[in-house]
Amino acid sequence: MKNIILTGFMGCGKTSVGRVLATRLGFRYLDLDEAIVQEAGVTIKEIFANQGEPAFRELESRVLGRVVAGNGLVVSTGGGAVLSSANRTLMRASGTIVNLTASVETIAARVSGDSERPLLQNDPSLERIRTMLEAREGCYADADLRIATDAKSIEAVADEIIRSVTGGNVRTDTVRVALGERSYDISLGAGNLDTLGRVCRELELSGSAAVVSNTTVAPLYYDRVRAALEQAGFRSVLIELPDGEQHKNSTTLNLIFDGLVDAALDRGSFIVALGGGVIGDMAGYAAASYLRGIPFIQVPTTLLSQVDSSVGGKTGINHPKGKNLIGAFYQPRAVLIDVTTLDSLPQREFLCGLGEIIKYGAVLDADFFSFLEDNAERLLARDKEALIHAVGRSCAIKARVVESDEREGGVRAVLNYGHTLGHAVETLTGYSQFLHGEAVAIGMVQAARISKAFGTCSQADCERIEALLARFGLPRELPCFPAAAYAEALSHDKKVRDKGLLFICNQGIGAYHMERVKDLNALLEICGIGE
Ligand SMILES: NC(=O)c1ccc[n+]([C@@H]2O[C@H](COP(=O)([O-])OP(=O)(O)OC[C@H]3O[C@@H](n4cnc5c(N)ncnc54)[C@H](O)[C@@H]3O)[C@@H](O)[C@H]2O)c1
C-alpha cells in the first residue's frame, strides 16, 4: 500500500482520524492544509480573504502534487480538494482514497464556533451545509472507500479503515518463533512493507539501518523501505549487491562489510535484508560477524525465502568447494513478510516457493496439505488471502521445528525432506538445469516413492504428492545419470554420517520418519536408476 488519502467535508474527522490511522500503520501523517499554510506563509483564511478561492485552489493542487509523490503517508485533505478532477487523479495514482462522511447535523455540531472555516463563515446554517454537501457529493463519492463517522469514536473509524482499506490489504498476522531470549515475531501481511519502520521502532532499535539488497530487488522496493525507515526516524543506507547465487561468496560478503564500514555503522545500528534467500543468508551472516554481531531484520521477497530461509537463523555463504559451507546460526530480530512483493517475482521462482510449501504439508501437516490441494488455483493466481494463509502456516510449522531443534541436531532434519535427492540432482546438473525448488520437487516425488517401497506411504498418498507438484508445474522425474554418479553425489551429502544416509520418508501425508539407508543402490533402484 502506498498512501491513504482522506477526503471529506469539513468536520468529518479527517485530521483526527488521519493522525490515529498514521500511528496505527506506522505511516507519516500529513495535513494538506498545514502544508499549504507553510508554503504560503499566511493562514488559509487570509488567502481566501486576500486572493480569493481560485488562487487557494491553485496553490492546493500544487502542494497536493508534491505531497502525494511520497510513500507511506496518511494525508488529510481540505474539504474542497476533491472538487478538481485533476486533484482526484493525483490522489488515486498515489494510493487509496478514503472518503469520510457525516450527516448535516453532525457536521454543524462539530464545526460550530470554529472561526477558521472560511467557506462557512458568513452562513454556517444547516441549509448552507446541505447545499454544499449536495454540490460536492459526486466528487466525494469518487473514492475507493466511504466511511460514515456519525456517532463513532476516532479510533473506531481508524479501525474500520484499517480493516477494509484495499480489500484487507493491511491485514496482518503474526507468527512467534519462541527461542528464549532470541525469540522474534514474523509479521505477515499484504501491503505491510510500509510498516517496517514501526516494527524496528517497536524493537527499540536505534541508529542507522543498512539495507542489504541486490540490483533486481532494490529498484523495486528500496524506496518504500527507505521511506518507512525514515518516517520512523532511522537513517538508511543501501548496500546494493550483484544478483545471483554465484555471488553468494566471500567477495560479495566483503562488499557488505565495506558498505557497513563506509557508512560508519556502529553497534547501535542494524541490517535489513531485502531480497530472496541469497540476500537473507549473506546479510544475516554479515550481521552475525560485523562488530561481533549487530541486529538484523529479514524482509524476504521471494516465496522460498518467505516460507523457508528467512526463518530459523541459518546464515552463510558458499565456498568454491561447496554450498553454504561457511556460516553461522544467527536469528533475526524480526521477519517482515509482505506477500504483495511476490507480484513482481518471476513465475519460475514463485513455483519453486510453492514446492517448499508442499514440503511442510507432506511431512508435517495433513490439513495444510489438503488446504493446498483445495486452493491450488488461488495460490497460482497469487491470491493474497490464500498466500497469507499458506505463507503463515508454513512459517508456523517451520517455527515449531526450529524451536525444538534450533541448531539442527535432530528433528530439524525433517526439513530436508526431498532435499537429499534434490541436492544430488543439483550437483549432477552443475546447478544450471534446475532451480533449487525444482530439484527439491523432484526429490520429494522420489522420497514419496521410496516411502511407498518402505511401506510407510500408500500408493494413493504418493500420487497425491506427485499430483500437487504437477499442478504447480514443478518437475518430477530424475534427470538421467548413471547410478554410480547418483551414489557418488549422495554420499557427498552432508547428512551422510558414519551410519549411512539419513533419509526423510513420508509416514502417509502429514507425518514422517527418518530412515538410515546404507545401500544407496537399492534406494536408487526404487527411483528407477539402475546400475
Ligand atoms: N537459510 C536457510 O535456512 C535457507 C533455506 C533455504 C534456502 N536457502 C538459500 O536461499 C537461496 C535461494 O533463495 P531464493 O530462492 O530466494 O533465491 P534468490 O535469492 O536468488 O532469488 C531468486 C531471484 O529472484 C529475484 N527476486 C527476489 N525477490 C524478488 C521480487 N520480489 N521480485 C522480482 N524478483 C525478485 C532475486 O533477485 C533473484 O534473481 C539459496 O542460496 C539457498 O542456499 C537458505
Side-chain angles (χ1 to χ4, degrees):
M1 183 174 39
K2 276 180 75 189
N3 302 315
I4 294 181
I5 320 290
L6 298 177
T7 68
F9 199 73
M10 63 187 81
C12 286
K14 300 182 295 287
T15 304
S16 31
V17 169
R19 287 187 198 285
V20 172
L21 193 58
T23 308
R24 296 256 176 99
L25 292 170
F27 278 26
R28 190 152 67 93
Y29 173 72
L30 221 145
D31 185 306
L32 186 62
D33 282 352
E34 275 174 18
I36 294 168
V37 169
Q38 242 179 22
E39 170 116 352
V42 291
T43 65
I44 293 180
K45 204 170 153 187
E46 284 167 330
I47 305 173
F48 266 76
N50 302 332
Q51 302 168 45
E53 188 175 347
F56 171 78
R57 294 290 168 217
E58 204 187 306
L59 181 60
E60 184 178 53
S61 297
R62 207 167 58 235
V63 176
L64 177 71
R66 205 184 58 228
V67 160
V68 297
N71 274 322
L73 299 172
V74 173
V75 182
S76 70
T77 59
V82 289
L83 298 182
S84 143
S85 67
N87 284 0
R88 296 200 302 276
T89 306
L90 268 177
M91 293 177 195
R92 174 142 289 122
S94 106
T96 305
I97 306 177
V98 180
N99 174 237
L100 301 184
T101 68
S103 69
V104 174
E105 291 72 19
T106 301
I107 291 170
R110 287 181 185 164
V111 302
S112 70
D114 186 345
S115 61
E116 289 304 311
R117 313 275 190 179
L119 283 176
L120 284 183
Q121 230 187 347
N122 297 331
D123 178 9
S125 67
L126 289 181
E127 206 38 51
R128 168 91 170 123
I129 295 172
R130 183 167 292 112
T131 309
M132 285 181 74
L133 269 182
E134 279 168 12
R136 293 179 175 185
E137 171 56 20
C139 300
Y140 285 141
D142 187 8
D144 299 300
L145 178 69
R146 301 193 83 185
I147 294 191
T149 62
D150 303 83
K152 288 180 192 162
S153 70
I154 293 160
E155 283 72 21
V157 176
D159 275 349
E160 211 172 318
I161 297 173
I162 290 173
R163 272 198 309 275
S164 39
V165 84
T166 56
N169 265 2
V170 288
R171 163 194 166 164
T172 53
D173 286 346
T174 304
V175 174
R176 182 83 175 155
V177 186
L179 292 168
E181 59 184 16
R182 292 180 306 287
S183 299
Y184 54 97
D185 283 339
I186 304 165
S187 321
L188 189 80
N192 56 334
L193 190 59
D194 309 289
T195 65
L196 177 63
R198 191 186 62 190
V199 168
C200 296
R201 217 172 39 210
E202 283 170 5
L203 288 168
E204 297 181 353
L205 296 174
S206 57
S208 303
V211 180
V212 178
S213 191
N214 68 23
T215 47
T216 305
V217 180
L220 294 169
Y221 301 111
Y222 175 61
D223 278 352
R224 279 178 67 191
V225 162
R226 184 189 51 202
L229 288 167
E230 284 178 357
Q231 276 154 31
F234 298 105
R235 185 176 75 96
S236 99
V237 291
L238 172 66
I239 300 176
E240 195 175 43
L241 305 177
D243 184 8
E245 179 76 32
Q246 72 276 23
H247 297 293
K248 189 178 160 182
N249 55 29
S250 55
T251 308
T252 316
L253 180 69
N254 264 327
L255 293 179
I256 304 181
F257 292 137
D258 290 348
L260 297 173
V261 173
D262 289 349
L265 257 74
D266 58 18
R267 297 199 71 176
S269 310
F270 60 101
I271 288 178
V272 174
L274 173 69
V278 168
I279 288 294
D281 280 12
M282 280 199 294
Y285 188 47
S289 37
Y290 183 68
L291 300 177
R292 299 191 179 81
I294 59 172
F296 90 111
I297 312 288
Q298 290 269 23
V299 183
T301 59
T302 61
L303 187 52
L304 182 137
S305 58
Q306 293 182 351
V307 299
D308 192 357
S309 60
S310 65
V311 179
K314 278 208 224 171
T315 69
I317 56 170
N318 300 330
H319 183 272
K321 295 219 163 139
K323 272 196 73 173
N324 298 323
L325 285 187
I326 299 160
F329 282 99
Y330 193 65
Q331 300 295 343
R333 294 287 303 279
V335 181
L336 187 144
I337 298 176
D338 180 348
V339 296
T340 64
T341 59
L342 301 175
D343 287 346
S344 56
L345 191 67
Q347 178 71 353
R348 213 175 146 194
E349 299 287 353
F350 182 76
L351 296 178
C352 282
L354 288 177
E356 292 287 347
I357 289 176
I358 292 176
K359 172 185 81 179
Y360 294 116
V363 282
L364 289 160
D365 189 332
D367 287 345
F368 184 45
F369 192 89
S370 301
F371 167 86
L372 297 174
E373 289 178 316
D374 295 344
N375 290 276
E377 301 318 313
R378 287 175 71 205
L379 288 165
L380 283 167
R382 305 191 194 193
D383 173 278
K384 301 294 175 286
E385 287 291 324
L387 277 174
I388 286 177
H389 182 81
V391 174
R393 190 76 207 114
S394 301
C395 288
I397 294 170
K398 179 155 184 187
R400 300 298 85 83
V401 173
V402 169
E403 282 162 7
S404 51
D405 178 18
E406 185 180 357
R407 295 175 76 88
E408 204 172 52
V411 67
R412 190 164 173 172
V414 65
L415 300 176
N416 285 322
Y417 174 72
H419 285 58
T420 309
L421 274 158
H423 284 152
V425 167
E426 284 180 296
T427 308
L428 291 173
T429 53
Y431 291 90
S432 57
Q433 191 178 337
F434 298 102
L435 295 177
H436 175 69
E438 293 169 341
V440 170
I442 295 171
M444 284 195 279
V445 171
Q446 306 310 321
R449 288 178 188 167
I450 290 166
S451 309
K452 192 185 75 175
F454 287 170
T456 61
C457 183
S458 67
Q459 172 72 19
D461 283 347
C462 195
E463 281 170 9
R464 278 177 73 192
I465 292 170
E466 200 165 336
L468 192 51
L469 288 161
R471 232 158 132 198
F472 288 150
L474 287 159
R476 297 170 306 286
E477 293 308 325
L478 284 169
C480 200
F481 288 96
Y486 270 107
E488 169 78 4
L490 282 174
S491 56
H492 275 126
D493 190 288
K494 65 180 188 291
K495 289 173 293 300
V496 180
R497 312 254 189 258
D498 304 345
K499 296 180 231 156
L501 184 70
L502 183 66
F503 198 81
I504 315 300
C505 297
N506 297 86
Q507 187 84 51
I509 282 181
Y512 68 95
H513 82 279
M514 297 186 192
E515 187 89 27
R516 286 277 168 204
V517 180
K518 288 193 182 142
D519 187 348
L520 294 182
N521 286 327
L523 194 82
L524 289 166
E525 255 176 50
I526 298 169
C527 307
I529 307 275
E531 294 262 22

